[in-house]
Amino acid sequence: MLTPLGLDAVRLSPGFWGDLRELNQEVIIGHCLDWMEKLGWIGNFRGEPARGREFADSEVYKLLEGMAWARDPRFDELAETVVAAQEPDGYLNTRWSGDRYRDFEWGHELYCYGHMIQAGVARWRTSGEHAFTDTVRRVADHVCQRFMDSAEVCGHPEIEMALVELYRVTGAERYLEMARRFVERRGGPALAEVEFGRAYFQDDMSVREAEVFRGHAVRAMYLACGTVDVAVETGDTELLAAVEAQWERTIARRTHLTGGMGSRHSGESFGDDFELPPDRAYSETCAAVGSVMLSHRLLLATGRRRYAEQAERTLYNVVAASPASDGRSFFYTNPLQVRVPGQAAEGVNPRAEGALRAPWFAVSCCPNNLARTFASLPAYVATGTSEGIQIHHPTPSEISHDGLELRVETGYPWEGGVAVHVVSAPAEPRRISVGEHADLRVWAPGDVFAVDLDVRPRWVRPDPRVDAVRGCVAVERGPLVYCAESPEGGPSLELVHVDAEVPPQEDVVDGVVELDVQAATLGEAEELTLRLVPYHRWGNRGPATMRVWMPGM
Ligand SMILES: [Zn+2]
């Protein structure tokens, strides 16, 4: 098992992820706070007339979690508002107070607690105890008292991983046991049939029987995270192996090239195996956040690099794609093809779909989920063991663990060179690794471990069983997926086909590597040069069509 390194052990410097974290602290957190104040979601905690959806409390908690990881001074005031809303027996929900626990399918009460508990854990880990962490413990104790011997679960998994995380900071075994029971109860079934079927909330079978992730993609990811956490803390290797097998099949057969998950807009769900249409891809930003959390947990539990690689793919190509470069609008869905340019809309987007980023949504899970993810990014970069430090996501940073202090310098993902400078080291041998490259020896201050990661552009082909893109090709470079983007007035992408025999040519524009490929329009003899941009940057230049998969010649 690898030891996670917290925010005191890893500091990001300016670079790809450091800049996004900075944008989060400078813009995104405040943007989310302003919108939720304006829409009355924070006012719900002050007893103002109910506004927003039944799970709006969770959005405030996700932002609190982001603020806690960022050590944002606005945490105190917002936390105080939440603390004041707690009922004497620990219950806290602004929507169902007085009518509690009536609807486990759609009520989201335990789901909201889950996000609240995670916000509390973030506060604990970054700054220690607080009136808010007391409130969180009272909520968790209330949950244990009410649900330990019941048969109920929440329609939206989330509390499972939160309770295990709370167990890790408090050592209170009842939280772990409560999480274990919530995980094991699922599939009993424990919930009523709903319009999308029980698979929608993973209640169609037990987590041990399941062979693949199915149903609502965010729910599936969160449940799997909680299941891994329970498996790791209880030493249940069979349970861990079950999730690993589900992950393998899902990545091979139900995951888009970008790492995005979810093929059906109905139920925001996974499709069947190989059902991966690029234009109808749902690929919700939150599902990507959940996928990164899951892959990271599996990496920690097993040390297998493929989990870090999947987290990297998803971080660069979905999580980083959601926010606009100014941090003031977001993608909720992340399709791999857009046929009709979006129309700019101001205000709250009533629909999750859209070919342009929107400043806010009626269901605004994604922006707040990004806020907490970007704030906690340092925790994903590297892990430690008694042997040394493993760098999974090379990015400019300072990393320390067990007497070994490193400074990472790199232009990754634009450049492949990574220089790991040793700042201080113990007298005993230590292993430093960057991806698959590793060196074990006695290090001295001033030593440099230099590696060269392959970031040459490459053509990739889909599994032939993915009918929707059979015969198509796409371009990747390092961890980045590329796409053709055509703003209004640009060439039509509908009839374009590309020559995958010709290597893409690089062109650096404002520090970003763009690519030119040889292409033609079907039915026309004349060849043309098609410009590709990193997928995560598309849509920043106004309405446009876009495609990742392009028919080969
Ligand atoms: Zn979302």
Side-chain angles (χ1 to χ4, degrees), residues 359-378:
W360 204 250
F361 304 90
V363 174
S364 223
C365 44
C366 301
N368 296 301
N369 229 342
L370 289 174
R372 68 180 184 136
T373 305
F374 291 146
S376 57
L377 273 174

Side-chain angles (χ1 to χ4, degrees), residues 62 218 268 284-287 332 363-367 369:
K62 271 186 261 178
V218 179
E268 304 183 304
E284 182 182 339
T285 300
C286 288
Y332 187 116
V363 174
S364 223
C365 44
C366 301
N369 229 342

